[in-house]
Amino acid sequence: MARTVRGARVLITGAASGMGLLYAERAVREGAKAVVLWDRDEAGLTRLTDRLRGEVLAGRTVTAWGAPAGSPSSATGSRNAGTSIHPYVVDLRELGGIAQAAQSVRKELDGVDVLVNNAGIVRGKFFWEHDNGDDTRATMQVNALAPMYTTREFLPGMISSPREARIVNIASAAGTLANPRMSVYAASKSAVINWSDSLRLELEQQGYGHVKVTTVAPSYIDTGMFEGARGPLLTPILTPEYVVDRVWRAMLAGKPVLLLPWSVGLAKTLKGVLPTRAWDALAGRLFGVYSSMDEFTGR
């Protein structure tokens, strides 16, 4: 799996829009054996499935990075197909729904080789404006618990298989820094970062090095999810295409951590070495981190 996912079984959560859609396209273009799409948006999932089976599979004219020219593909999902598409309507807030969908995937495909925990939601408001049920609980369920639940469903199969396997956990730069109007979101992404990298260490420590975990912490991405947010100094709003390309390459290479852009790593380092008030002044007045969500509207 050093260069492509050709022949692999790939599962993507939050696949119906944004970066999830781009990950799905990438997997198909590289000739994955199966692409499993999880999303709660049934209409969006149907549109993506139809397009992948039709335009991308049957009418592909562009060979993606690393993909062998003319790699097999099919729009039908028939016995001779190079890639089959498997959509599932899944509400990631529900543990039972995750378990049921995972059981169906295992029955149909006997597991997955690549898991991209991409789905996420954000509530851009002060903590005291969050509703405990609709906001706080939902954010923690989708952003923090769902990746853990989903990974737990497929990890035993990855461990027992001799095949190379990859787990990608999409966190956020917000998980490395405190930020006004992002308290619960930041908490959920901080949880993902520490769980994900701990999982990586556990797998390495126990001799399961063929299962590699990549933790991704990007700053704001232009998907509509953070509409109205402003990029801090030295931290431009990232394009989804750029992020997906970098994540994909990091995943294939088994890179442990990916921070995007480079200034995220700088901010993390400065926060770690400076006194709290000094960092607050730097982040608030110079970099503009603490005001970056002032005009947030979201989708």
Side-chain angles (χ1 to χ4, degrees):
M1 205 178 289
R3 295 188 62 201
T4 77
V5 296
R6 184 176 184 182
R9 300 160 296 176
V10 182
L11 189 155
I12 303 153
T13 68
S17 63
M19 295 199 306
L21 183 152
L22 297 178
Y23 289 126
E25 290 181 343
R26 186 82 172 235
V28 169
R29 289 175 185 269
E30 290 191 5
K33 178 180 180 180
V35 179
V36 182
L37 311 171
W38 280 15
D39 205 291
R40 64 179 297 192
D41 178 5
E42 185 173 3
L45 197 60
T46 298
R47 288 192 297 271
L48 175 60
T49 300
D50 290 345
R51 182 153 63 82
L52 289 178
R53 286 176 174 168
E55 299 174 15
V56 180
L57 288 177
R60 191 182 73 231
T61 58
V62 178
T63 299
W65 169 83
S71 56
S73 62
S74 169
T76 64
S78 63
R79 181 178 300 176
N80 297 321
T83 301
S84 57
I85 310 299
H86 307 262
Y88 289 83
V89 178
V90 183
D91 188 344
L92 293 176
R93 297 172 299 179
E94 301 294 335
L95 172 58
I98 292 173
Q100 185 175 15
Q103 184 178 14
S104 297
V105 172
R106 288 193 299 268
K107 183 177 180 180
E108 190 171 11
L109 299 175
D110 194 30
V112 299
D113 306 301
V114 177
L115 171 60
V116 182
N117 285 309
N118 165 75
I121 61 175
V122 62
R123 301 288 191 265
K125 47 191 173 183
F126 296 117
F127 176 68
W128 55 86
E129 296 173 340
H130 284 70
D131 177 82
N132 280 340
D134 293 339
D135 298 325
T136 301
R137 181 173 61 182
T139 299
M140 297 305 293
Q141 285 173 328
V142 174
N143 292 0
L145 293 178
M148 298 183 197
Y149 292 158
T150 305
T151 300
R152 179 62 182 82
E153 290 288 341
F154 294 105
L155 186 57
M158 291 178 170
I159 288 175
S160 62
S161 172
R163 295 168 61 94
E164 284 283 312
R166 299 287 188 271
I167 299 169
V168 180
N169 296 311
I170 307 298
S172 169
T176 67
L177 303 171
N179 195 19
R181 294 182 173 85
M182 296 188 82
S183 56
V184 178
Y185 180 81
S188 69
K189 293 302 187 178
S190 178
V192 171
I193 289 172
N194 286 285
W195 159 72
S196 180
D197 209 39
S198 295
L199 173 60
R200 174 187 66 84
L201 292 170
E202 290 172 348
L203 290 168
E204 291 178 356
Q205 185 185 70
Q206 298 304 309
Y208 303 123
H210 65 290
V211 183
K212 300 188 184 302
V213 180
T214 299
T215 307
V216 183
S219 186
Y220 299 128
I221 306 171
D222 186 17
T223 61
M225 183 174 176
F226 283 96
E227 188 69 31
R230 299 193 306 269
L233 181 68
L234 305 178
T235 310
I237 302 293
L238 303 169
T239 66
E241 293 78 11
Y242 171 77
V243 175
V244 166
D245 182 69
R246 291 292 306 275
V247 170
W248 202 259
R249 292 171 184 255
M251 175 270 290
L252 290 172
K255 184 174 181 178
V257 178
L258 178 64
L259 306 178
L260 295 172
W262 65 272
S263 54
V264 173
L266 173 63
K268 181 181 177 183
T269 300
L270 291 174
K271 183 179 184 296
V273 300
L274 291 175
T276 298
R277 292 303 183 188
W279 166 248
D280 283 348
L282 190 66
R285 299 172 191 170
L286 178 60
F287 288 108
V289 174
Y290 293 169
S291 59
S292 62
M293 288 285 286
D294 284 359
E295 298 178 18
F296 169 84
T297 58
R299 285 198 178 99

